[in-house]
Amino acid sequence: MSDLHLLSVKALATLLKTKQVSAVEVATRFLARTGGNPHNAFLDIDSEVTLAQARASDAKLADGTAGPLEGVPVAHKDVFVTRDFATTAGSKILSGYRSPFDATVVQRLRTAGMVTLGKLNCDEFAMGSANENSAYGPVQNPWDTSRVPGGSSGGSAAAVAAGLAPAATGTDTGGSIRQPASFCGITGIKPTYGRASRYGMIAYASSLDQAGPMARSAEDCALLLSALCGADVDRDATSLDMPTEDFSASLNQTLEGLRIGIPKEFFGEGLHPDVRAAVDGALREYEKLGAQLVPISLPRTELSIPVYYIIAPAEASSNLSRFDGVKFGHRAKDYTDLVDMYKKTRAEGFGNEAKRRIMTGAYVLSHGYYDAYYLQAQKIRRMIADDFQNAFKQCDVIAGPVAPSVAWKLGENANDPVADYLADIFTLPASLAGLPGMSVPAGFGAHNMPVGLQLIGNYFKEAQLLNAAHQLQQATDWHTRTPKGLQ
Ligand code: GLN
C-alpha cells in the first residue's frame, strides 16, 4: 500500500484489525517519512521504541486483545511528558529531560492501542501563536514552507498536514489546537475544560490548559477524543468526574433545525476578506444542510485579549517557578551561591517569550497591582463566560473564523509579540469560558493557504460539535486536500 500516510485513523484501524497491514509496516512507513525531520516538526524520534510498541500491537491484534485504535500511530506535542522519549516543552531549560512517567493522555492513547511516533515541536511552554518561540527552531507550514504553521501546537499541525502522522495530540490554552489546525488545513478539537486530564501535561496556565486531538477529519478526532478524555480525579484536581463518552456514536445526526449563532464581533474590521469569504462559504453549506444562522453578540470579545494576557502570564509565572535547576533540567555551570545558580539557570534556560510572560505575570500579581490587573481580569473573565451563556439561549452552536488571517510569513512578527497576541482574538473567548471549540477546514484564502471555521459549543457538547463538523465534511472536500507533493 503506497498511500498509508494519507489514510485516516479510522481506515488504518480497520486495515490493522482485518490484518491487511501490520502495525510494524504502518510504523515503519511513518518512521521513514520522518527521516530528515521535514518541516522541523519533530523534537524526538526513537524508532526502536516505536517499533517495539508496534510489535506489541501486532501481538494483541493476533491474540484478540487489541484496543480500538490498536497499531495506529500518533505523535505527541512535547508538553506531554513521556517515559520513553525526551520531553522539553520546546524549552532549553528542559533539554534532554526524561520523565519517570507518562502523561495520562499519553497513557490513555496507549491503552487504546496507539503507537507513539515521537514528540512534536511547539512554542516554548506552549506560549505562542506561530511556533517561532521554540528553542529548537521554528516549524514550517507544509502548504508553504516560508510561512508559520500556527502555534503553539505547530509541530502537531504540520506533522498531520504533511502526512508524517495520521493524528497528533495538542494542547489549547488560548487557541493552540484550533489556530494551527486552521493554518495547516486539518481538524482539531479542544474539549470542555476538565474533560481531559492535565496530569503530566506541563502546565502553562492551569485554569485554561486543555488537551485535544488533531487529525484530518472530525471522524478521526472523535475516535481520539473518546480515548483520551476521562476522569482522573486523583491526579488532576480540575479533572471532571464524568464517564467516558463514545463521540463517534453521534456522528450521523441531521443538522435540520440546528441554530448556528454568528457573533457579529467575529466579523468586524480586523477580519481579512479572504478568510471571511471562506467562512461565509462554509456557513452557506450549513444552510444547505438545514441549519439556521442566527445573529448573536459576544460583546466582550475584544476584552478577551487583555484579560487572557493578564491571567495566562500570571499563572505561568507561578507554574514556571518550578524550573530552577535544582531537581531537573538545565543547570548553569558557574555560579557563586544558590541564588546565583537560580538566576543564571533561568536566564540561560528560558527564551524571550517565557521571560516576558514571567515578568508580566509577576507584575500583575504583585502587591499594589493585583487589584487593578489580576482581579479585574478575573471579573471580566466571568462576564465573558456569562456572555456565552446568554448567546446559547438563542443558538445551539456558535460559528466564526478561527483567526483573522491565513498563516503569516516566518519572521514577519518576530519583533512584535503583540501582533501575535492580537491574532488570538477569536480563540481566546471560548478558552476563558472553558468551552469546547474546534477548527474545521473551510477552504482556502490568500496565497492559497487553508482557512479554518471555528465551531464553539456549550459545556460538554463535544458530540454536537463533532457531528456538525462531520456533516460539513460529508458535504465538502476541503478537509481532504493536501499540500502539493504529498500524493
Ligand atoms: N497564543 C496563545 C498564547 O500565546 C495561546 C497559546 C496556547 O493556547 N497554548 O498564549
Side-chain angles (χ1 to χ4, degrees):
M1 252 166 273
S2 59
D3 64 346
L4 279 181
H5 63 286
L6 295 172
L7 295 182
S8 65
V9 169
K10 190 181 176 193
L12 284 168
T14 307
L15 288 178
L16 284 154
K17 269 198 191 87
T18 51
K19 312 228 170 34
Q20 295 177 66
V21 68
S22 72
V24 168
E25 272 173 79
V26 175
T28 306
R29 174 69 58 84
F30 280 101
L31 285 172
R33 291 189 59 77
T34 60
N37 199 15
H39 311 301
N40 198 27
F42 277 83
L43 291 182
D44 195 22
I45 290 173
D46 184 333
S47 53
E48 278 179 32
V49 170
T50 302
L51 290 171
Q53 291 185 7
R55 280 192 294 274
S57 282
D58 280 331
K60 289 186 173 178
L61 287 158
D63 70 14
T65 57
L69 299 175
E70 198 67 58
V72 180
V74 65
H76 294 294
K77 182 177 183 179
D78 207 28
V79 297
F80 293 98
V81 301
T82 40
R83 230 178 11 204
D84 298 328
F85 297 88
T87 302
T88 67
S91 181
K92 199 173 139 192
I93 209 158
L94 280 177
S95 138
Y97 171 67
R98 285 270 165 170
S99 164
F101 67 97
D102 280 335
T104 299
V105 162
V106 171
Q107 190 198 317
R108 289 187 70 98
L109 291 177
R110 284 287 298 132
T111 306
M114 296 197 95
V115 168
T116 313
L117 277 177
K119 302 297 287 296
L120 295 161
N121 204 344
C122 57
D123 282 303
E124 182 173 11
F125 292 106
M127 297 169 178
S129 311
N131 215 123
E132 290 179 293
N133 298 334
S134 166
Y136 304 96
V139 173
Q140 300 168 332
N141 190 314
W143 292 87
D144 173 350
T145 54
S146 71
R147 290 179 186 273
V148 302
S152 64
S153 312
S156 308
V160 173
L164 310 177
T169 53
T171 63
D172 192 310
T173 303
S176 281
I177 288 176
R178 291 162 284 161
Q179 186 255 25
S182 168
F183 280 13
C184 291
I186 64 162
T187 307
I189 180 163
K190 171 198 103 76
T192 306
Y193 180 80
R195 273 267 202 193
S197 171
R198 292 184 300 108
Y199 184 69
M201 202 174 102
I202 295 175
Y204 160 21
S206 309
S207 75
L208 295 151
D209 297 342
Q210 261 308 279
M214 302 169 77
R216 290 208 188 82
S217 65
E219 208 172 27
D220 282 358
C221 282
L223 287 168
L224 268 89
L225 192 68
S226 306
L228 71 79
C229 286
D232 195 20
V233 290
D234 294 339
R235 298 190 295 183
D236 170 6
T238 60
S239 165
L240 292 162
D241 197 2
M242 287 176 79
T244 52
E245 196 173 324
D246 178 5
F247 296 108
S248 306
S250 39
L251 284 185
N252 286 307
Q253 315 288 318
T254 171
L255 298 186
E256 203 63 55
L258 183 82
R259 295 167 307 163
I260 303 182
I262 310 297
K264 66 168 190 279
E265 294 78 4
F266 281 37
F267 291 84
E269 255 176 46
L271 181 63
H272 289 213
D274 58 314
V275 174
R276 186 184 179 128
V279 168
D280 282 345
L283 294 177
R284 275 195 298 276
E285 290 294 333
Y286 273 118
E287 285 186 306
K288 284 193 221 155
L289 290 167
Q292 184 195 337
L293 306 185
V294 186
I296 58 159
S297 173
L298 294 170
R300 293 177 185 87
T301 298
E302 255 182 37
L303 287 179
S304 64
I305 298 176
V307 166
Y308 173 89
Y309 280 100
I310 287 171
I311 293 176
E315 295 183 20
S317 71
S318 166
N319 275 324
L320 267 48
S321 64
R322 62 172 64 92
F323 302 104
D324 56 9
V326 176
K327 294 203 185 75
F328 42 70
H330 174 77
R331 179 184 297 173
K333 283 208 171 52
D334 305 307
Y335 48 87
T336 49
D337 57 22
L338 184 64
V339 171
D340 192 43
M341 190 279 279
Y342 288 156
K343 284 184 180 167
K344 286 192 174 134
T345 295
R346 288 167 66 86
E348 291 169 9
F350 288 130
N352 285 344
E353 189 60 30
K355 286 178 184 161
R356 195 175 289 127
R357 297 202 190 188
I358 291 169
M359 287 191 283
T360 313
Y363 179 81
V364 300
L365 289 174
S366 61
H367 183 71
Y369 296 103
Y370 180 95
D371 287 358
Y373 293 104
Y374 184 71
L375 196 63
Q376 268 318 86
Q378 290 290 22
K379 287 180 182 166
I380 301 171
R381 179 180 186 177
R382 163 55 59 193
M383 292 174 176
I384 290 170
D386 290 346
D387 287 346
F388 275 105
Q389 290 316 306
N390 276 332
F392 282 123
K393 287 180 188 146
Q394 292 165 264
C395 61
D396 306 301
V397 300
I398 293 171
V402 173
S405 72
V406 296
W408 52 86
K409 288 264 188 191
L410 282 157
E412 197 174 306
N413 292 350
N415 300 315
D416 186 2
V418 176
D420 278 12
Y421 301 171
L422 294 177
D424 292 339
I425 182 155
F426 303 134
T427 49
L428 299 178
S431 295
L432 289 164
L435 294 166
M438 68 184 295
S439 176
V440 193
F444 295 83
H447 317 289
N448 233 358
M449 294 303 288
V451 173
L453 172 79
Q454 183 174 207
L455 295 174
I456 300 169
N458 211 342
Y459 300 113
F460 316 122
K461 296 286 191 192
E462 290 83 356
Q464 189 181 40
L465 281 188
L466 288 161
N467 177 57
H470 181 60
Q471 296 310 312
L472 184 70
Q473 295 184 338
Q474 298 297 100
T476 60
D477 67 355
W478 297 310
H479 66 295
T480 65
R481 311 283 180 85
T482 51
K484 270 200 200 77
L486 207 64
Q487 301 297 334

